[in-house]
Amino acid sequence: METIFEKIIRREVPAHIVYENDVVIAFLDIEPTNIGHTLVVPKKKSENMLTIDSREWVEVMEVVRFLAPRIMRAVQAQGVNIMANCGEAAGQVVPHTHVHIVPRFTGDGFKHWPGKQHPEEEMRTIAETIRGEVLQEGV
Ligand code: 5GP
């Protein structure tokens, strides 16, 4: 299914494009968390970073690393969050791979998700289960 990002890539929908190469386009998020919030998007459709071709993903992340300090300089941010939401449960709304670059300012008030301690036995069990998954072939 087509998303709004394909329309932006084809210039059918306007966006504030800040960078483009053969593989990747980057434009301002329409509802920025902070000023300068940018989305880095591969031009070829894939659903998210879990399913994108790995070489293409490397290109996306090279552009993220190139752009992040430049965006920070442009808006005079002191930090940056780099995020890829994967799946509806994780807040992915647009099912086309993208990375958020969110400039952060000291005292801007945004908080990270709170962590909470889990019982040691649960931690040991889940670590063992994950190690088991890691050993599975062809996942
Ligand atoms: P997600 O929640 O899928 O990780 O993030 C999708 C992002 O795309 C959201 O932050 C949303 O504001 C942005 N977005 C949705 N529609 C448009 C649009 O038409 N133009 C632009 N520039 N950004 C959009």
Side-chain angles (χ1 to χ4, degrees), residues 4-5 8 13-16 27-33 37 39 83-87 90-96 98-100:
I4 191 75
F5 291 176
I8 291 173
V13 165
H16 295 283
F27 48 85
L28 297 184
D29 194 296
I30 202 166
E31 284 182 2
T33 299
H37 180 167
L39 301 173
M83 298 174 304
N85 301 326
C86 299
Q92 183 177 10
V93 174
V94 179
H96 181 131
H98 55 281
V99 177
H100 296 257

PDB file of all heavy atoms in Angstrom, residues 4-5 8 13-16 27-33 37 39 83-87 90-96 98-100, ligand 1:
ATOM      1  N   ILE A   4       2.135   8.287   2.274  1.00  0.00           N
ATOM      2  CA  ILE A   4       2.382   9.695   1.972  1.00  0.00           C
ATOM      3  C   ILE A   4       3.850   9.932   1.573  1.00  0.00           C
ATOM      4  O   ILE A   4       4.147  10.841   0.796  1.00  0.00           O
ATOM      5  CB  ILE A   4       1.972  10.557   3.193  1.00  0.00           C
ATOM      6  CG1 ILE A   4       1.935  12.047   2.865  1.00  0.00           C
ATOM      7  CG2 ILE A   4       2.876  10.312   4.378  1.00  0.00           C
ATOM      8  CD1 ILE A   4       0.765  12.462   2.058  1.00  0.00           C
ATOM      9  N   PHE A   5       4.750   9.101   2.080  1.00  0.00           N
ATOM     10  CA  PHE A   5       6.164   9.313   1.775  1.00  0.00           C
ATOM     11  C   PHE A   5       6.469   9.095   0.293  1.00  0.00           C
ATOM     12  O   PHE A   5       7.279   9.824  -0.278  1.00  0.00           O
ATOM     13  CB  PHE A   5       7.056   8.421   2.654  1.00  0.00           C
ATOM     14  CG  PHE A   5       7.081   8.801   4.114  1.00  0.00           C
ATOM     15  CD1 PHE A   5       7.777   8.022   5.034  1.00  0.00           C
ATOM     16  CD2 PHE A   5       6.421   9.930   4.582  1.00  0.00           C
ATOM     17  CE1 PHE A   5       7.803   8.374   6.379  1.00  0.00           C
ATOM     18  CE2 PHE A   5       6.429  10.284   5.920  1.00  0.00           C
ATOM     19  CZ  PHE A   5       7.125   9.491   6.824  1.00  0.00           C
ATOM     20  N   ILE A   8       5.594  12.215  -1.423  1.00  0.00           N
ATOM     21  CA  ILE A   8       6.619  13.252  -1.196  1.00  0.00           C
ATOM     22  C   ILE A   8       7.830  12.975  -2.086  1.00  0.00           C
ATOM     23  O   ILE A   8       8.373  13.886  -2.724  1.00  0.00           O
ATOM     24  CB  ILE A   8       7.006  13.311   0.306  1.00  0.00           C
ATOM     25  CG1 ILE A   8       5.832  13.861   1.119  1.00  0.00           C
ATOM     26  CG2 ILE A   8       8.268  14.146   0.517  1.00  0.00           C
ATOM     27  CD1 ILE A   8       6.014  13.812   2.630  1.00  0.00           C
ATOM     28  N   VAL A  13       3.335  15.624  -3.227  1.00  0.00           N
ATOM     29  CA  VAL A  13       2.951  16.306  -1.988  1.00  0.00           C
ATOM     30  C   VAL A  13       4.168  17.131  -1.561  1.00  0.00           C
ATOM     31  O   VAL A  13       5.296  16.629  -1.576  1.00  0.00           O
ATOM     32  CB  VAL A  13       2.569  15.270  -0.895  1.00  0.00           C
ATOM     33  CG1 VAL A  13       2.512  15.895   0.482  1.00  0.00           C
ATOM     34  CG2 VAL A  13       1.246  14.596  -1.243  1.00  0.00           C
ATOM     35  N   PRO A  14       3.947  18.389  -1.195  1.00  0.00           N
ATOM     36  CA  PRO A  14       5.097  19.224  -0.830  1.00  0.00           C
ATOM     37  C   PRO A  14       5.698  18.839   0.521  1.00  0.00           C
ATOM     38  O   PRO A  14       4.983  18.327   1.398  1.00  0.00           O
ATOM     39  CB  PRO A  14       4.501  20.637  -0.767  1.00  0.00           C
ATOM     40  CG  PRO A  14       3.044  20.444  -0.583  1.00  0.00           C
ATOM     41  CD  PRO A  14       2.674  19.115  -1.155  1.00  0.00           C
ATOM     42  N   ALA A  15       6.983  19.060   0.636  1.00  0.00           N
ATOM     43  CA  ALA A  15       7.676  18.853   1.918  1.00  0.00           C
ATOM     44  C   ALA A  15       8.907  19.748   1.910  1.00  0.00           C
ATOM     45  O   ALA A  15       9.391  20.141   0.837  1.00  0.00           O
ATOM     46  CB  ALA A  15       8.075  17.391   2.089  1.00  0.00           C
ATOM     47  N   HIS A  16       9.395  20.049   3.097  1.00  0.00           N
ATOM     48  CA  HIS A  16      10.633  20.829   3.217  1.00  0.00           C
ATOM     49  C   HIS A  16      11.806  19.865   3.129  1.00  0.00           C
ATOM     50  O   HIS A  16      12.270  19.344   4.149  1.00  0.00           O
ATOM     51  CB  HIS A  16      10.645  21.622   4.522  1.00  0.00           C
ATOM     52  CG  HIS A  16       9.576  22.665   4.587  1.00  0.00           C
ATOM     53  ND1 HIS A  16       9.681  23.859   3.920  1.00  0.00           N
ATOM     54  CD2 HIS A  16       8.373  22.677   5.210  1.00  0.00           C
ATOM     55  CE1 HIS A  16       8.597  24.580   4.146  1.00  0.00           C
ATOM     56  NE2 HIS A  16       7.790  23.884   4.915  1.00  0.00           N
ATOM     57  N   PHE A  27      13.454  15.063   4.828  1.00  0.00           N
ATOM     58  CA  PHE A  27      12.594  16.263   4.859  1.00  0.00           C
ATOM     59  C   PHE A  27      12.107  16.487   6.288  1.00  0.00           C
ATOM     60  O   PHE A  27      12.127  15.574   7.133  1.00  0.00           O
ATOM     61  CB  PHE A  27      11.409  16.110   3.887  1.00  0.00           C
ATOM     62  CG  PHE A  27      10.665  14.805   3.990  1.00  0.00           C
ATOM     63  CD1 PHE A  27       9.663  14.628   4.916  1.00  0.00           C
ATOM     64  CD2 PHE A  27      10.992  13.739   3.149  1.00  0.00           C
ATOM     65  CE1 PHE A  27       8.982  13.433   5.012  1.00  0.00           C
ATOM     66  CE2 PHE A  27      10.318  12.524   3.235  1.00  0.00           C
ATOM     67  CZ  PHE A  27       9.304  12.375   4.161  1.00  0.00           C
ATOM     68  N   LEU A  28      11.662  17.727   6.538  1.00  0.00           N
ATOM     69  CA  LEU A  28      11.188  18.060   7.885  1.00  0.00           C
ATOM     70  C   LEU A  28       9.897  17.318   8.190  1.00  0.00           C
ATOM     71  O   LEU A  28       9.009  17.213   7.323  1.00  0.00           O
ATOM     72  CB  LEU A  28      10.936  19.567   8.008  1.00  0.00           C
ATOM     73  CG  LEU A  28      12.144  20.494   7.839  1.00  0.00           C
ATOM     74  CD1 LEU A  28      11.722  21.946   8.086  1.00  0.00           C
ATOM     75  CD2 LEU A  28      13.293  20.098   8.770  1.00  0.00           C
ATOM     76  N   ASP A  29       9.779  16.812   9.410  1.00  0.00           N
ATOM     77  CA  ASP A  29       8.534  16.201   9.881  1.00  0.00           C
ATOM     78  C   ASP A  29       7.451  17.292   9.921  1.00  0.00           C
ATOM     79  O   ASP A  29       7.709  18.415  10.345  1.00  0.00           O
ATOM     80  CB  ASP A  29       8.749  15.605  11.273  1.00  0.00           C
ATOM     81  CG  ASP A  29       7.631  14.666  11.679  1.00  0.00           C
ATOM     82  OD1 ASP A  29       6.476  15.135  11.824  1.00  0.00           O
ATOM     83  OD2 ASP A  29       7.901  13.471  11.849  1.00  0.00           O
ATOM     84  N   ILE A  30       6.248  16.928   9.484  1.00  0.00           N
ATOM     85  CA  ILE A  30       5.161  17.919   9.400  1.00  0.00           C
ATOM     86  C   ILE A  30       4.714  18.378  10.797  1.00  0.00           C
ATOM     87  O   ILE A  30       4.174  19.477  10.950  1.00  0.00           O
ATOM     88  CB  ILE A  30       3.972  17.349   8.585  1.00  0.00           C
ATOM     89  CG1 ILE A  30       3.096  18.454   8.037  1.00  0.00           C
ATOM     90  CG2 ILE A  30       3.164  16.356   9.400  1.00  0.00           C
ATOM     91  CD1 ILE A  30       2.116  17.977   6.970  1.00  0.00           C
ATOM     92  N   GLU A  31       4.934  17.525  11.802  1.00  0.00           N
ATOM     93  CA  GLU A  31       4.588  17.892  13.191  1.00  0.00           C
ATOM     94  C   GLU A  31       5.823  17.689  14.058  1.00  0.00           C
ATOM     95  O   GLU A  31       5.927  16.708  14.805  1.00  0.00           O
ATOM     96  CB  GLU A  31       3.435  17.027  13.716  1.00  0.00           C
ATOM     97  CG  GLU A  31       2.091  17.431  13.180  1.00  0.00           C
ATOM     98  CD  GLU A  31       0.948  16.593  13.757  1.00  0.00           C
ATOM     99  OE1 GLU A  31       1.198  15.707  14.604  1.00  0.00           O
ATOM    100  OE2 GLU A  31      -0.182  16.832  13.332  1.00  0.00           O
ATOM    101  N   PRO A  32       6.774  18.596  13.963  1.00  0.00           N
ATOM    102  CA  PRO A  32       8.061  18.377  14.638  1.00  0.00           C
ATOM    103  C   PRO A  32       7.947  18.346  16.155  1.00  0.00           C
ATOM    104  O   PRO A  32       7.250  19.172  16.742  1.00  0.00           O
ATOM    105  CB  PRO A  32       8.903  19.576  14.183  1.00  0.00           C
ATOM    106  CG  PRO A  32       7.922  20.609  13.732  1.00  0.00           C
ATOM    107  CD  PRO A  32       6.711  19.877  13.237  1.00  0.00           C
ATOM    108  N   THR A  33       8.652  17.399  16.754  1.00  0.00           N
ATOM    109  CA  THR A  33       8.762  17.354  18.218  1.00  0.00           C
ATOM    110  C   THR A  33       9.517  18.589  18.688  1.00  0.00           C
ATOM    111  O   THR A  33       9.136  19.231  19.659  1.00  0.00           O
ATOM    112  CB  THR A  33       9.498  16.062  18.640  1.00  0.00           C
ATOM    113  OG1 THR A  33       8.722  14.960  18.190  1.00  0.00           O
ATOM    114  CG2 THR A  33       9.680  15.972  20.143  1.00  0.00           C
ATOM    115  N   HIS A  37      13.234  18.807  13.443  1.00  0.00           N
ATOM    116  CA  HIS A  37      12.911  17.360  13.425  1.00  0.00           C
ATOM    117  C   HIS A  37      12.809  16.900  11.967  1.00  0.00           C
ATOM    118  O   HIS A  37      11.994  17.384  11.201  1.00  0.00           O
ATOM    119  CB  HIS A  37      11.589  17.171  14.169  1.00  0.00           C
ATOM    120  CG  HIS A  37      11.091  15.765  14.265  1.00  0.00           C
ATOM    121  ND1 HIS A  37      10.067  15.423  15.114  1.00  0.00           N
ATOM    122  CD2 HIS A  37      11.435  14.611  13.629  1.00  0.00           C
ATOM    123  CE1 HIS A  37       9.805  14.129  15.011  1.00  0.00           C
ATOM    124  NE2 HIS A  37      10.614  13.618  14.092  1.00  0.00           N
ATOM    125  N   LEU A  39      12.985  13.665   8.969  1.00  0.00           N
ATOM    126  CA  LEU A  39      12.795  12.242   8.652  1.00  0.00           C
ATOM    127  C   LEU A  39      13.739  11.863   7.521  1.00  0.00           C
ATOM    128  O   LEU A  39      13.804  12.562   6.504  1.00  0.00           O
ATOM    129  CB  LEU A  39      11.354  11.986   8.214  1.00  0.00           C
ATOM    130  CG  LEU A  39      10.276  12.359   9.240  1.00  0.00           C
ATOM    131  CD1 LEU A  39       8.884  12.222   8.615  1.00  0.00           C
ATOM    132  CD2 LEU A  39      10.382  11.500  10.491  1.00  0.00           C
ATOM    133  N   MET A  83      15.741   7.844  16.073  1.00  0.00           N
ATOM    134  CA  MET A  83      14.781   6.780  16.384  1.00  0.00           C
ATOM    135  C   MET A  83      14.198   6.164  15.123  1.00  0.00           C
ATOM    136  O   MET A  83      13.957   6.863  14.142  1.00  0.00           O
ATOM    137  CB  MET A  83      13.584   7.357  17.150  1.00  0.00           C
ATOM    138  CG  MET A  83      13.904   7.971  18.468  1.00  0.00           C
ATOM    139  SD  MET A  83      12.436   8.738  19.154  1.00  0.00           S
ATOM    140  CE  MET A  83      11.949   9.859  17.885  1.00  0.00           C
ATOM    141  N   ALA A  84      13.957   4.874  15.199  1.00  0.00           N
ATOM    142  CA  ALA A  84      13.214   4.183  14.136  1.00  0.00           C
ATOM    143  C   ALA A  84      12.115   3.373  14.815  1.00  0.00           C
ATOM    144  O   ALA A  84      12.408   2.390  15.504  1.00  0.00           O
ATOM    145  CB  ALA A  84      14.151   3.272  13.345  1.00  0.00           C
ATOM    146  N   ASN A  85      10.870   3.815  14.668  1.00  0.00           N
ATOM    147  CA  ASN A  85       9.748   3.081  15.241  1.00  0.00           C
ATOM    148  C   ASN A  85       9.408   1.919  14.306  1.00  0.00           C
ATOM    149  O   ASN A  85       9.231   2.127  13.106  1.00  0.00           O
ATOM    150  CB  ASN A  85       8.531   3.999  15.388  1.00  0.00           C
ATOM    151  CG  ASN A  85       8.828   5.204  16.270  1.00  0.00           C
ATOM    152  OD1 ASN A  85       9.588   5.098  17.220  1.00  0.00           O
ATOM    153  ND2 ASN A  85       8.252   6.353  15.937  1.00  0.00           N
ATOM    154  N   CYS A  86       9.320   0.728  14.842  1.00  0.00           N
ATOM    155  CA  CYS A  86       9.050  -0.457  14.016  1.00  0.00           C
ATOM    156  C   CYS A  86       7.785  -1.143  14.498  1.00  0.00           C
ATOM    157  O   CYS A  86       7.779  -1.756  15.568  1.00  0.00           O
ATOM    158  CB  CYS A  86      10.220  -1.440  14.077  1.00  0.00           C
ATOM    159  SG  CYS A  86      11.745  -0.741  13.458  1.00  0.00           S
ATOM    160  N   GLY A  87       6.731  -1.023  13.713  1.00  0.00           N
ATOM    161  CA  GLY A  87       5.465  -1.675  14.063  1.00  0.00           C
ATOM    162  C   GLY A  87       4.530  -0.728  14.794  1.00  0.00           C
ATOM    163  O   GLY A  87       4.971   0.170  15.515  1.00  0.00           O
ATOM    164  N   ALA A  90       4.841  -0.024  18.404  1.00  0.00           N
ATOM    165  CA  ALA A  90       5.973   0.840  18.778  1.00  0.00           C
ATOM    166  C   ALA A  90       5.766   2.267  18.289  1.00  0.00           C
ATOM    167  O   ALA A  90       6.687   3.083  18.325  1.00  0.00           O
ATOM    168  CB  ALA A  90       7.262   0.260  18.212  1.00  0.00           C
ATOM    169  N   GLY A  91       4.561   2.563  17.796  1.00  0.00           N
ATOM    170  CA  GLY A  91       4.260   3.933  17.386  1.00  0.00           C
ATOM    171  C   GLY A  91       4.553   4.238  15.936  1.00  0.00           C
ATOM    172  O   GLY A  91       4.530   5.409  15.535  1.00  0.00           O
ATOM    173  N   GLN A  92       4.824   3.196  15.129  1.00  0.00           N
ATOM    174  CA  GLN A  92       5.037   3.465  13.697  1.00  0.00           C
ATOM    175  C   GLN A  92       3.685   3.711  13.038  1.00  0.00           C
ATOM    176  O   GLN A  92       2.810   2.845  13.054  1.00  0.00           O
ATOM    177  CB  GLN A  92       5.750   2.290  13.002  1.00  0.00           C
ATOM    178  CG  GLN A  92       6.040   2.594  11.534  1.00  0.00           C
ATOM    179  CD  GLN A  92       6.806   1.491  10.812  1.00  0.00           C
ATOM    180  OE1 GLN A  92       6.985   0.396  11.328  1.00  0.00           O
ATOM    181  NE2 GLN A  92       7.227   1.784   9.590  1.00  0.00           N
ATOM    182  N   VAL A  93       3.540   4.896  12.481  1.00  0.00           N
ATOM    183  CA  VAL A  93       2.277   5.279  11.846  1.00  0.00           C
ATOM    184  C   VAL A  93       2.398   5.144  10.332  1.00  0.00           C
ATOM    185  O   VAL A  93       1.462   4.709   9.661  1.00  0.00           O
ATOM    186  CB  VAL A  93       1.902   6.736  12.236  1.00  0.00           C
ATOM    187  CG1 VAL A  93       0.680   7.203  11.477  1.00  0.00           C
ATOM    188  CG2 VAL A  93       1.667   6.834  13.744  1.00  0.00           C
ATOM    189  N   VAL A  94       3.539   5.521   9.785  1.00  0.00           N
ATOM    190  CA  VAL A  94       3.738   5.444   8.331  1.00  0.00           C
ATOM    191  C   VAL A  94       4.567   4.184   8.031  1.00  0.00           C
ATOM    192  O   VAL A  94       5.740   4.090   8.423  1.00  0.00           O
ATOM    193  CB  VAL A  94       4.466   6.705   7.804  1.00  0.00           C
ATOM    194  CG1 VAL A  94       4.692   6.586   6.301  1.00  0.00           C
ATOM    195  CG2 VAL A  94       3.662   7.960   8.126  1.00  0.00           C
ATOM    196  N   PRO A  95       3.946   3.203   7.317  1.00  0.00           N
ATOM    197  CA  PRO A  95       4.652   1.940   7.086  1.00  0.00           C
ATOM    198  C   PRO A  95       5.629   1.997   5.914  1.00  0.00           C
ATOM    199  O   PRO A  95       5.534   1.215   4.959  1.00  0.00           O
ATOM    200  CB  PRO A  95       3.503   0.944   6.847  1.00  0.00           C
ATOM    201  CG  PRO A  95       2.408   1.772   6.272  1.00  0.00           C
ATOM    202  CD  PRO A  95       2.556   3.162   6.839  1.00  0.00           C
ATOM    203  N   HIS A  96       6.512   2.956   5.954  1.00  0.00           N
ATOM    204  CA  HIS A  96       7.600   3.098   4.985  1.00  0.00           C
ATOM    205  C   HIS A  96       8.825   3.436   5.845  1.00  0.00           C
ATOM    206  O   HIS A  96       8.768   4.393   6.634  1.00  0.00           O
ATOM    207  CB  HIS A  96       7.280   4.222   3.982  1.00  0.00           C
ATOM    208  CG  HIS A  96       8.317   4.433   2.919  1.00  0.00           C
ATOM    209  ND1 HIS A  96       8.000   4.528   1.567  1.00  0.00           N
ATOM    210  CD2 HIS A  96       9.653   4.589   2.999  1.00  0.00           C
ATOM    211  CE1 HIS A  96       9.111   4.730   0.865  1.00  0.00           C
ATOM    212  NE2 HIS A  96      10.134   4.772   1.721  1.00  0.00           N
ATOM    213  N   HIS A  98      11.711   4.744   7.918  1.00  0.00           N
ATOM    214  CA  HIS A  98      12.206   6.104   8.125  1.00  0.00           C
ATOM    215  C   HIS A  98      12.896   6.200   9.474  1.00  0.00           C
ATOM    216  O   HIS A  98      12.611   5.430  10.391  1.00  0.00           O
ATOM    217  CB  HIS A  98      11.077   7.144   8.043  1.00  0.00           C
ATOM    218  CG  HIS A  98       9.935   6.887   8.981  1.00  0.00           C
ATOM    219  ND1 HIS A  98       8.953   5.962   8.730  1.00  0.00           N
ATOM    220  CD2 HIS A  98       9.638   7.433  10.181  1.00  0.00           C
ATOM    221  CE1 HIS A  98       8.084   5.955   9.722  1.00  0.00           C
ATOM    222  NE2 HIS A  98       8.481   6.834  10.631  1.00  0.00           N
ATOM    223  N   VAL A  99      13.787   7.174   9.563  1.00  0.00           N
ATOM    224  CA  VAL A  99      14.502   7.440  10.816  1.00  0.00           C
ATOM    225  C   VAL A  99      14.208   8.883  11.215  1.00  0.00           C
ATOM    226  O   VAL A  99      14.286   9.791  10.385  1.00  0.00           O
ATOM    227  CB  VAL A  99      16.020   7.235  10.642  1.00  0.00           C
ATOM    228  CG1 VAL A  99      16.768   7.576  11.929  1.00  0.00           C
ATOM    229  CG2 VAL A  99      16.320   5.795  10.222  1.00  0.00           C
ATOM    230  N   HIS A 100      13.840   9.060  12.481  1.00  0.00           N
ATOM    231  CA  HIS A 100      13.620  10.410  13.015  1.00  0.00           C
ATOM    232  C   HIS A 100      14.942  10.958  13.549  1.00  0.00           C
ATOM    233  O   HIS A 100      15.630  10.285  14.320  1.00  0.00           O
ATOM    234  CB  HIS A 100      12.648  10.372  14.201  1.00  0.00           C
ATOM    235  CG  HIS A 100      11.258   9.925  13.876  1.00  0.00           C
ATOM    236  ND1 HIS A 100      10.212  10.797  13.762  1.00  0.00           N
ATOM    237  CD2 HIS A 100      10.740   8.692  13.649  1.00  0.00           C
ATOM    238  CE1 HIS A 100       9.095  10.120  13.496  1.00  0.00           C
ATOM    239  NE2 HIS A 100       9.394   8.836  13.426  1.00  0.00           N
TER     240      HIS A 100
HETATM  241  P1  5GP B   1       6.184   7.236  12.742  1.00  0.00           P
HETATM  242  O1  5GP B   1       5.236   7.428  13.895  1.00  0.00           O
HETATM  243  O2  5GP B   1       5.585   6.377  11.648  1.00  0.00           O
HETATM  244  O3  5GP B   1       7.542   6.777  13.183  1.00  0.00           O
HETATM  245  O4  5GP B   1       6.436   8.672  12.162  1.00  0.00           O
HETATM  246  C1  5GP B   1       5.806   9.194  11.037  1.00  0.00           C
HETATM  247  C2  5GP B   1       6.081  10.667  11.015  1.00  0.00           C
HETATM  248  O5  5GP B   1       5.682  11.164   9.751  1.00  0.00           O
HETATM  249  C3  5GP B   1       5.306  11.455  12.079  1.00  0.00           C
HETATM  250  O6  5GP B   1       6.211  12.093  12.963  1.00  0.00           O
HETATM  251  C4  5GP B   1       4.480  12.447  11.261  1.00  0.00           C
HETATM  252  O7  5GP B   1       4.410  13.734  11.845  1.00  0.00           O
HETATM  253  C5  5GP B   1       5.199  12.472   9.918  1.00  0.00           C
HETATM  254  N1  5GP B   1       4.314  12.755   8.802  1.00  0.00           N
HETATM  255  C6  5GP B   1       3.096  12.191   8.573  1.00  0.00           C
HETATM  256  N2  5GP B   1       2.555  12.696   7.448  1.00  0.00           N
HETATM  257  C7  5GP B   1       3.449  13.604   6.965  1.00  0.00           C
HETATM  258  C8  5GP B   1       3.448  14.443   5.810  1.00  0.00           C
HETATM  259  O8  5GP B   1       2.507  14.495   5.023  1.00  0.00           O
HETATM  260  N3  5GP B   1       4.549  15.231   5.632  1.00  0.00           N
HETATM  261  C9  5GP B   1       5.610  15.205   6.490  1.00  0.00           C
HETATM  262  N4  5GP B   1       6.632  16.018   6.218  1.00  0.00           N
HETATM  263  N5  5GP B   1       5.637  14.416   7.578  1.00  0.00           N
HETATM  264  C10 5GP B   1       4.568  13.624   7.813  1.00  0.00           C
END
